[in-house]
Structures are given as C-alpha cells and as structure tokens.
Amino acid sequence: MANYRLLDTVTLRHFGVINRMDIVEMRLTGYDRPAWTDAVRSELLRDANGDGCGRVLEATFLGTPEDFSVSDLAEIFRIQRALSGDTMDPLLHLGEAESIWAADRRNGTFITDDAAAFDFAEKNLGNNRVLDCIDLLRESVAAKEITEHEAKLAADAIRNSGRHLKAGHPPTLTTDYFC
Amino acid sequence: MSVEVGGRVRRFRVAAGLRAQDLAAQVGLDATALSKIENGRRGVKSTELALLANALKISPMALLEDNPLLSKLPIAARAAGPSIKVGGAYERLVSLTELHVILADGGIRSSPNLASIPSLHGADWMESANALSDWALSQLPLLAKGDQRLGALADGIEALLKVDVLIEDFPNDVLSGASITDSEFPLLFVNSAYSRPRSLFTMAHELGHLLAGHVDGGVALDRELSGSTEMERMANAFAARYLMPKDDIAQKLEQDGRRMSTLVELTDEYGVSYQTLVYRLHNLRLINADVRDRLMSLSWQALLNLAESALRESGLSQASIGKLRGRSQAKPAGRPPAMLLRRAFDGFRKGIISVRPLAGLLKEDAALLLSELSDTADGMDISAYFDRSQDADNSADVTDEELFSGTPV
C-alpha cells in the first residue's frame, strides 16, 4: 500500500471551501508527509483570497510542502508540458506535475479532481493510485469518520459553491453513492 | 546540474538582451539570487524556473536540458526582431515543439520524407529557387485553382513530404509564417489572420525554406516576406515560380490576350494577390517597369471595375463578381498539423500526454474531448477530428475588354 499521498490544488480547495479540511486530515492519518508540493502551495498563495485557499494554507497537517532538486525538474517540467494544452501560463499544472512525479517516485497516491490530470495520472501510476474527492469521502465513510449523509452534504456543498467534481459523477448524488 | 542550468539561464538572458537585474525584477527575484542561480551557487525552485523561462520566452525544458530544437526558437525570434515574441503565434510554435519533443522522447517520432529533395550544394539563391521550383512542380504539382490552392498545397506537403502544416489565426500578430526545418520535426506555419492570397504565398515561401533546408538554426520566423536576405529572396523566388509557372502564364497570355480580365483570371486562378502577379509578370519580362508601375497603381477593386463588363459578357454572374471583390479580404480556414495530431492521439492513448495538448491542437474543450474519447477509447477514429473544409472555388471565365499593353523589355 502506498504510504504517501499528494493532493492537488483543486481538491484541497474543494475541502477548504466547505470548511471540511478535517476530512483531509483524517484521510492522511497514517500516511507520510508532506501531502502537498511547493508549486501547489505557490498556486494557493497566488490566489490566497480565493475560495478555500486560506483554510488550506492554514492546514499545518499537510506538512512542509515538498521541494525538488534541480535534477528532478527536467522530468517534472516534461510532465507539466504533457499536462498543458496550448496555454503558455508558466505555472499552470506545475503542482499537478510535481505531485504526479513524486507519487510515481515514491509509490504514492495522487489525489485530484482535475479530469485531465486524473486520466493522465491513472495511465502512468495505475488506477489504484489516483483518487478524487469522492473517493476520499467514500474512504471516510468506510472508516466511519463521517456518515454517508455527511459525505453527500460535503459533495453537494462543493458543487453548490460553484466548484466542479471530476467529470463522470452523476449530477445528483445520493447517500448510497458513498457506501 | 545547477551549474548547467544556471549557465543556460545566463546564456539565454544575454541572447535576449536582458540585464540580470531586469530579468530578476521580472520574476520577483533579487539580483543577488539570480546571480547565484546563474553561477550554480544556488538551486532553483520549479516555480522560479517556470517564471524565468516565461520571461525569457523559452521552454523551461530548454533551460533544464540541452535541447537543440527548443533552443533554436528564441535564437530565430531574436533574429526576427523583439516583437516576434509578443504574439501568440511564437508561443504556439514553442508549445508545439515541446509537444513534439515529449512525444519523440516517448517513442512516438515523426517520419518526414525529405530524402528526394535535390541537393543545392554550391548553388546561389536564384539557382536554388530554380532547382527547387522545378522539383516541386514535378513532385508536388499544384493542380487546384483559386481558393482551393492553399488547402491543396497543405495536403500535398503532408502527403508527399510528411511534414506538418499548421494554419491558425493569430490576429494582430506580426508573425505571418514560419518554417521549422529540423529533420526530426519539420513544420510549416501560416498565420491565417492574413488574407487567403497572402497566406498561400506565405505557405509557398515557407515551403521554399523547408526545401532549401538552409535556415539558420533550423527555424525561420517571417513577419514580412521582404527578401531582405538571400535566403528570403530564394524563398520568395521559389514561391513565385512554383505558384505562377512561367510557361503557364505565357500560354494564358497567348491564348486570352493582354486584357484586364486576363489579369483578373490569372490572379484568381493562381490564388495569389494581384500585386504578386504583376511583380511576377515583370520579373518574367512580360511587362516593362512602366506597365508594372501603372498596374501596381490600380487596386484590386479598380482592376475589377475595369474588367467587370467583360467578365459579365463572358457569363460571370453578379454573385461571382462579388466573390471576386471580396477575395483579397477572405481568410483561410485553419488546420491542425496532421502528423503531430496523429502522434498526439497515440501519445494520449499511451499516457505520454494528457488530453489537453490534444484539445489544444483541435481547439476543442479538453473536458468534453476527454469524455468523448473515454467513450470510444477502443475505436477512436481520429479522421473525424480533421476538418479541412475549404471555401468553394472562385474561378471565373474570361472574355476580352480593356488591354494592358506592356511591351516586354
């Protein structure tokens, strides 16, 4: 089992915006730190007033963001470019790239709600090493940390805040979906 | 490793004509930190490196590894002038080159077919243009007429040479065309923000660069096809000879006479601008300088006014004449680079790239494309993603009317 979990900005903000970082903390119990990378933190800092960012940045349980040596960067930027479309935003998808690279190197799990990054990571890491926020909520229900009803409320609250779950989940979620 | 990366940062900074303190300020570093990075005495974070690359208008991959092709782009841009880097077209070329590098490193290589192009060893620019246009006219005959020519030329280049052709709209961008002549990733680019006649000439000009294969550093970025260097003159001469073959013009003039309507027909049939045709007639010594200047003083609309009654008498409808009036403004349809697109599909399937570069090539929404491809993953038909629609042919019939009487010199 992977002992290392790395969360993407989009998923951290999902839990931050509904003020349920406690669920993330519980889902990181027993896993090594850090659970985020320097580029993910930088992305949150750049949008520090954005929905959910403040709560994520205050979450000390994520650990000190992972930094990378220069010798790691060539592969990380290849992944970043592989994740990017025709945008030349230099920082876009850098957090995802760092997380996927680190998860790959350390037999870790990557957690994202970005469908394109999820699909790419699944092809490279294997489908048991990529999760989204619904997976975390299901785990939390299975571990009896929250009820199915709380999980549904959390997912609905994410959507109601104007944020998007990864494509493929039904438009209306029932409590059964989290069992 | 830090020393090598720092050295590249310094090299590209100097090449870009930037002072260390200016670059440092652009990326939010203090000058001392940048100096240490350049000297390899300080590591560089991923976010810093991304910002440095962005400020230097270079791929971060070119700062991290010796990559000849990615390194050539900023050098070519420097040669073409600073404003080349401002628009999106240059960034698009960098992005596509990065995509090629990633796919090639993942084992999905391009396979251009350039072996049959004649050698130009020792030839001057005129001899080169002659040899290459003769070769192109025999190997890559451009049988289509009028508005169909640009698409047909792009199809022919991709089919015969296996070279990628990108036609894309970058409004207000000074970059009108480019050719990457690297043998691993040849690509011709035409900015479709410009009119269809100009775009066709640009495409042929860039083809000239590619066939000559002698562009400094393997990349030519063109803002104006001005002929300021021998290389540019060669590309212009090639384009003129290829698009407007001498014997064809002579035959047409012999057959239809030196009439204004003949000029209209030739212009439309060749798909070029009226001015380009007039220069060609002069260069072929079919008209003298005086006639050239008098014809050049006529706008396309003025020429059509002079030829209109004859065109009508010949049976050309009002709608067709209206279409002719608009041809100098009409812009070409875009097209993605076909070989790169196929490679990208393969790379997406194998997990070498995500769906986003593919969506970027197709100008489609990444989430929708991913959903669509996920539904058809086993039987993806990529041909469905190619849209090469071209506008209808605009060619006109001809009769006689006013004469242009230029005497060959």
Side-chain angles (χ1 to χ4, degrees), chain B residues 120-141:
Chain B
L120 300 173
H121 185 69
D124 66 20
W125 68 271
M126 183 61 84
E127 291 164 343
S128 298
N130 287 342
L132 292 175
S133 58
D134 286 347
W135 179 87
L137 285 166
S138 66
Q139 300 300 310
L140 197 56

PDB file of all heavy atoms in Angstrom, chain B residues 120-141:
ATOM      1  N   LEU B 120      21.481  21.227 -53.059  1.00  0.00           N
ATOM      2  CA  LEU B 120      21.734  22.564 -53.607  1.00  0.00           C
ATOM      3  C   LEU B 120      23.178  22.975 -53.400  1.00  0.00           C
ATOM      4  O   LEU B 120      23.501  24.162 -53.395  1.00  0.00           O
ATOM      5  CB  LEU B 120      20.811  23.582 -52.927  1.00  0.00           C
ATOM      6  CG  LEU B 120      19.314  23.328 -53.084  1.00  0.00           C
ATOM      7  CD1 LEU B 120      18.529  24.312 -52.224  1.00  0.00           C
ATOM      8  CD2 LEU B 120      18.895  23.443 -54.538  1.00  0.00           C
ATOM      9  N   HIS B 121      24.024  22.015 -53.227  1.00  0.00           N
ATOM     10  CA  HIS B 121      25.413  22.328 -52.888  1.00  0.00           C
ATOM     11  C   HIS B 121      26.030  23.275 -53.921  1.00  0.00           C
ATOM     12  O   HIS B 121      26.041  22.992 -55.120  1.00  0.00           O
ATOM     13  CB  HIS B 121      26.236  21.042 -52.805  1.00  0.00           C
ATOM     14  CG  HIS B 121      27.636  21.279 -52.346  1.00  0.00           C
ATOM     15  ND1 HIS B 121      27.928  21.680 -51.056  1.00  0.00           N
ATOM     16  CD2 HIS B 121      28.816  21.214 -52.998  1.00  0.00           C
ATOM     17  CE1 HIS B 121      29.235  21.838 -50.938  1.00  0.00           C
ATOM     18  NE2 HIS B 121      29.799  21.563 -52.104  1.00  0.00           N
ATOM     19  N   GLY B 122      26.511  24.396 -53.467  1.00  0.00           N
ATOM     20  CA  GLY B 122      27.204  25.347 -54.335  1.00  0.00           C
ATOM     21  C   GLY B 122      26.294  26.257 -55.140  1.00  0.00           C
ATOM     22  O   GLY B 122      26.783  27.141 -55.854  1.00  0.00           O
ATOM     23  N   ALA B 123      24.983  26.065 -55.048  1.00  0.00           N
ATOM     24  CA  ALA B 123      24.068  26.884 -55.860  1.00  0.00           C
ATOM     25  C   ALA B 123      23.807  28.227 -55.186  1.00  0.00           C
ATOM     26  O   ALA B 123      23.728  28.302 -53.961  1.00  0.00           O
ATOM     27  CB  ALA B 123      22.750  26.132 -56.044  1.00  0.00           C
ATOM     28  N   ASP B 124      23.678  29.293 -55.997  1.00  0.00           N
ATOM     29  CA  ASP B 124      23.308  30.578 -55.400  1.00  0.00           C
ATOM     30  C   ASP B 124      21.791  30.608 -55.223  1.00  0.00           C
ATOM     31  O   ASP B 124      21.090  29.647 -55.560  1.00  0.00           O
ATOM     32  CB  ASP B 124      23.829  31.751 -56.242  1.00  0.00           C
ATOM     33  CG  ASP B 124      23.161  31.814 -57.608  1.00  0.00           C
ATOM     34  OD1 ASP B 124      22.067  31.230 -57.789  1.00  0.00           O
ATOM     35  OD2 ASP B 124      23.733  32.441 -58.512  1.00  0.00           O
ATOM     36  N   TRP B 125      21.284  31.721 -54.699  1.00  0.00           N
ATOM     37  CA  TRP B 125      19.868  31.742 -54.327  1.00  0.00           C
ATOM     38  C   TRP B 125      18.946  31.573 -55.532  1.00  0.00           C
ATOM     39  O   TRP B 125      17.919  30.901 -55.457  1.00  0.00           O
ATOM     40  CB  TRP B 125      19.539  33.002 -53.534  1.00  0.00           C
ATOM     41  CG  TRP B 125      19.599  34.300 -54.298  1.00  0.00           C
ATOM     42  CD1 TRP B 125      20.670  35.107 -54.460  1.00  0.00           C
ATOM     43  CD2 TRP B 125      18.522  34.932 -55.007  1.00  0.00           C
ATOM     44  NE1 TRP B 125      20.342  36.203 -55.216  1.00  0.00           N
ATOM     45  CE2 TRP B 125      19.022  36.128 -55.560  1.00  0.00           C
ATOM     46  CE3 TRP B 125      17.175  34.604 -55.220  1.00  0.00           C
ATOM     47  CZ2 TRP B 125      18.241  36.986 -56.317  1.00  0.00           C
ATOM     48  CZ3 TRP B 125      16.393  35.476 -55.972  1.00  0.00           C
ATOM     49  CH2 TRP B 125      16.929  36.648 -56.515  1.00  0.00           C
ATOM     50  N   MET B 126      19.328  32.143 -56.657  1.00  0.00           N
ATOM     51  CA  MET B 126      18.480  32.041 -57.850  1.00  0.00           C
ATOM     52  C   MET B 126      18.499  30.609 -58.405  1.00  0.00           C
ATOM     53  O   MET B 126      17.451  30.058 -58.760  1.00  0.00           O
ATOM     54  CB  MET B 126      18.971  33.025 -58.909  1.00  0.00           C
ATOM     55  CG  MET B 126      18.116  33.055 -60.159  1.00  0.00           C
ATOM     56  SD  MET B 126      16.404  33.538 -59.837  1.00  0.00           S
ATOM     57  CE  MET B 126      16.574  35.324 -59.855  1.00  0.00           C
ATOM     58  N   GLU B 127      19.691  30.042 -58.440  1.00  0.00           N
ATOM     59  CA  GLU B 127      19.795  28.655 -58.917  1.00  0.00           C
ATOM     60  C   GLU B 127      19.023  27.714 -57.987  1.00  0.00           C
ATOM     61  O   GLU B 127      18.383  26.763 -58.442  1.00  0.00           O
ATOM     62  CB  GLU B 127      21.269  28.234 -58.982  1.00  0.00           C
ATOM     63  CG  GLU B 127      22.068  28.957 -60.067  1.00  0.00           C
ATOM     64  CD  GLU B 127      23.576  28.828 -59.890  1.00  0.00           C
ATOM     65  OE1 GLU B 127      24.027  28.466 -58.772  1.00  0.00           O
ATOM     66  OE2 GLU B 127      24.292  29.108 -60.852  1.00  0.00           O
ATOM     67  N   SER B 128      19.104  28.005 -56.706  1.00  0.00           N
ATOM     68  CA  SER B 128      18.376  27.174 -55.740  1.00  0.00           C
ATOM     69  C   SER B 128      16.878  27.277 -55.971  1.00  0.00           C
ATOM     70  O   SER B 128      16.152  26.270 -55.973  1.00  0.00           O
ATOM     71  CB  SER B 128      18.697  27.628 -54.303  1.00  0.00           C
ATOM     72  OG  SER B 128      20.057  27.471 -54.030  1.00  0.00           O
ATOM     73  N   ALA B 129      16.396  28.514 -56.150  1.00  0.00           N
ATOM     74  CA  ALA B 129      14.955  28.708 -56.376  1.00  0.00           C
ATOM     75  C   ALA B 129      14.511  27.978 -57.642  1.00  0.00           C
ATOM     76  O   ALA B 129      13.442  27.350 -57.669  1.00  0.00           O
ATOM     77  CB  ALA B 129      14.640  30.201 -56.462  1.00  0.00           C
ATOM     78  N   ASN B 130      15.349  28.045 -58.678  1.00  0.00           N
ATOM     79  CA  ASN B 130      15.002  27.362 -59.938  1.00  0.00           C
ATOM     80  C   ASN B 130      14.934  25.853 -59.735  1.00  0.00           C
ATOM     81  O   ASN B 130      13.970  25.192 -60.150  1.00  0.00           O
ATOM     82  CB  ASN B 130      16.054  27.676 -61.008  1.00  0.00           C
ATOM     83  CG  ASN B 130      15.937  29.105 -61.523  1.00  0.00           C
ATOM     84  OD1 ASN B 130      14.897  29.738 -61.345  1.00  0.00           O
ATOM     85  ND2 ASN B 130      17.000  29.613 -62.129  1.00  0.00           N
ATOM     86  N   ALA B 131      15.980  25.321 -59.125  1.00  0.00           N
ATOM     87  CA  ALA B 131      16.042  23.862 -58.951  1.00  0.00           C
ATOM     88  C   ALA B 131      14.894  23.359 -58.085  1.00  0.00           C
ATOM     89  O   ALA B 131      14.253  22.348 -58.404  1.00  0.00           O
ATOM     90  CB  ALA B 131      17.386  23.477 -58.331  1.00  0.00           C
ATOM     91  N   LEU B 132      14.631  24.091 -57.015  1.00  0.00           N
ATOM     92  CA  LEU B 132      13.591  23.631 -56.087  1.00  0.00           C
ATOM     93  C   LEU B 132      12.193  23.795 -56.678  1.00  0.00           C
ATOM     94  O   LEU B 132      11.318  22.952 -56.464  1.00  0.00           O
ATOM     95  CB  LEU B 132      13.697  24.377 -54.757  1.00  0.00           C
ATOM     96  CG  LEU B 132      14.947  24.044 -53.930  1.00  0.00           C
ATOM     97  CD1 LEU B 132      15.022  24.921 -52.688  1.00  0.00           C
ATOM     98  CD2 LEU B 132      14.979  22.570 -53.530  1.00  0.00           C
ATOM     99  N   SER B 133      11.976  24.867 -57.420  1.00  0.00           N
ATOM    100  CA  SER B 133      10.636  25.043 -58.010  1.00  0.00           C
ATOM    101  C   SER B 133      10.410  24.011 -59.117  1.00  0.00           C
ATOM    102  O   SER B 133       9.297  23.483 -59.248  1.00  0.00           O
ATOM    103  CB  SER B 133      10.439  26.468 -58.523  1.00  0.00           C
ATOM    104  OG  SER B 133      11.418  26.804 -59.476  1.00  0.00           O
ATOM    105  N   ASP B 134      11.462  23.699 -59.885  1.00  0.00           N
ATOM    106  CA  ASP B 134      11.320  22.633 -60.898  1.00  0.00           C
ATOM    107  C   ASP B 134      10.967  21.310 -60.221  1.00  0.00           C
ATOM    108  O   ASP B 134      10.087  20.568 -60.677  1.00  0.00           O
ATOM    109  CB  ASP B 134      12.631  22.465 -61.687  1.00  0.00           C
ATOM    110  CG  ASP B 134      12.843  23.614 -62.663  1.00  0.00           C
ATOM    111  OD1 ASP B 134      11.883  24.375 -62.896  1.00  0.00           O
ATOM    112  OD2 ASP B 134      13.978  23.758 -63.158  1.00  0.00           O
ATOM    113  N   TRP B 135      11.667  21.035 -59.139  1.00  0.00           N
ATOM    114  CA  TRP B 135      11.398  19.795 -58.410  1.00  0.00           C
ATOM    115  C   TRP B 135       9.970  19.794 -57.849  1.00  0.00           C
ATOM    116  O   TRP B 135       9.229  18.801 -57.981  1.00  0.00           O
ATOM    117  CB  TRP B 135      12.407  19.647 -57.257  1.00  0.00           C
ATOM    118  CG  TRP B 135      12.183  18.400 -56.450  1.00  0.00           C
ATOM    119  CD1 TRP B 135      12.675  17.154 -56.694  1.00  0.00           C
ATOM    120  CD2 TRP B 135      11.369  18.278 -55.271  1.00  0.00           C
ATOM    121  NE1 TRP B 135      12.235  16.272 -55.742  1.00  0.00           N
ATOM    122  CE2 TRP B 135      11.434  16.926 -54.859  1.00  0.00           C
ATOM    123  CE3 TRP B 135      10.611  19.173 -54.528  1.00  0.00           C
ATOM    124  CZ2 TRP B 135      10.762  16.469 -53.734  1.00  0.00           C
ATOM    125  CZ3 TRP B 135       9.932  18.715 -53.404  1.00  0.00           C
ATOM    126  CH2 TRP B 135      10.023  17.363 -53.018  1.00  0.00           C
ATOM    127  N   ALA B 136       9.587  20.914 -57.256  1.00  0.00           N
ATOM    128  CA  ALA B 136       8.254  20.980 -56.642  1.00  0.00           C
ATOM    129  C   ALA B 136       7.152  20.871 -57.691  1.00  0.00           C
ATOM    130  O   ALA B 136       6.133  20.213 -57.467  1.00  0.00           O
ATOM    131  CB  ALA B 136       8.113  22.278 -55.844  1.00  0.00           C
ATOM    132  N   LEU B 137       7.358  21.514 -58.848  1.00  0.00           N
ATOM    133  CA  LEU B 137       6.324  21.452 -59.887  1.00  0.00           C
ATOM    134  C   LEU B 137       6.148  20.033 -60.428  1.00  0.00           C
ATOM    135  O   LEU B 137       5.049  19.646 -60.832  1.00  0.00           O
ATOM    136  CB  LEU B 137       6.672  22.406 -61.034  1.00  0.00           C
ATOM    137  CG  LEU B 137       6.436  23.891 -60.719  1.00  0.00           C
ATOM    138  CD1 LEU B 137       7.114  24.783 -61.742  1.00  0.00           C
ATOM    139  CD2 LEU B 137       4.941  24.193 -60.651  1.00  0.00           C
ATOM    140  N   SER B 138       7.217  19.259 -60.398  1.00  0.00           N
ATOM    141  CA  SER B 138       7.083  17.885 -60.898  1.00  0.00           C
ATOM    142  C   SER B 138       6.615  16.924 -59.797  1.00  0.00           C
ATOM    143  O   SER B 138       5.828  16.021 -60.050  1.00  0.00           O
ATOM    144  CB  SER B 138       8.402  17.397 -61.499  1.00  0.00           C
ATOM    145  OG  SER B 138       9.382  17.297 -60.484  1.00  0.00           O
ATOM    146  N   GLN B 139       7.111  17.131 -58.576  1.00  0.00           N
ATOM    147  CA  GLN B 139       6.793  16.197 -57.490  1.00  0.00           C
ATOM    148  C   GLN B 139       5.552  16.594 -56.690  1.00  0.00           C
ATOM    149  O   GLN B 139       4.915  15.765 -56.049  1.00  0.00           O
ATOM    150  CB  GLN B 139       7.986  16.091 -56.530  1.00  0.00           C
ATOM    151  CG  GLN B 139       9.262  15.600 -57.177  1.00  0.00           C
ATOM    152  CD  GLN B 139       9.094  14.221 -57.768  1.00  0.00           C
ATOM    153  OE1 GLN B 139       8.602  13.306 -57.102  1.00  0.00           O
ATOM    154  NE2 GLN B 139       9.460  14.047 -59.036  1.00  0.00           N
ATOM    155  N   LEU B 140       5.286  17.883 -56.683  1.00  0.00           N
ATOM    156  CA  LEU B 140       4.188  18.392 -55.860  1.00  0.00           C
ATOM    157  C   LEU B 140       3.328  19.315 -56.716  1.00  0.00           C
ATOM    158  O   LEU B 140       3.170  20.500 -56.422  1.00  0.00           O
ATOM    159  CB  LEU B 140       4.801  19.168 -54.675  1.00  0.00           C
ATOM    160  CG  LEU B 140       3.978  19.483 -53.441  1.00  0.00           C
ATOM    161  CD1 LEU B 140       3.397  18.226 -52.826  1.00  0.00           C
ATOM    162  CD2 LEU B 140       4.832  20.231 -52.440  1.00  0.00           C
ATOM    163  N   PRO B 141       2.791  18.777 -57.824  1.00  0.00           N
ATOM    164  CA  PRO B 141       2.057  19.655 -58.747  1.00  0.00           C
ATOM    165  C   PRO B 141       0.817  20.239 -58.083  1.00  0.00           C
ATOM    166  O   PRO B 141       0.088  19.527 -57.386  1.00  0.00           O
ATOM    167  CB  PRO B 141       1.684  18.708 -59.899  1.00  0.00           C
ATOM    168  CG  PRO B 141       1.717  17.351 -59.310  1.00  0.00           C
ATOM    169  CD  PRO B 141       2.753  17.369 -58.240  1.00  0.00           C
TER     170      PRO B 141
END
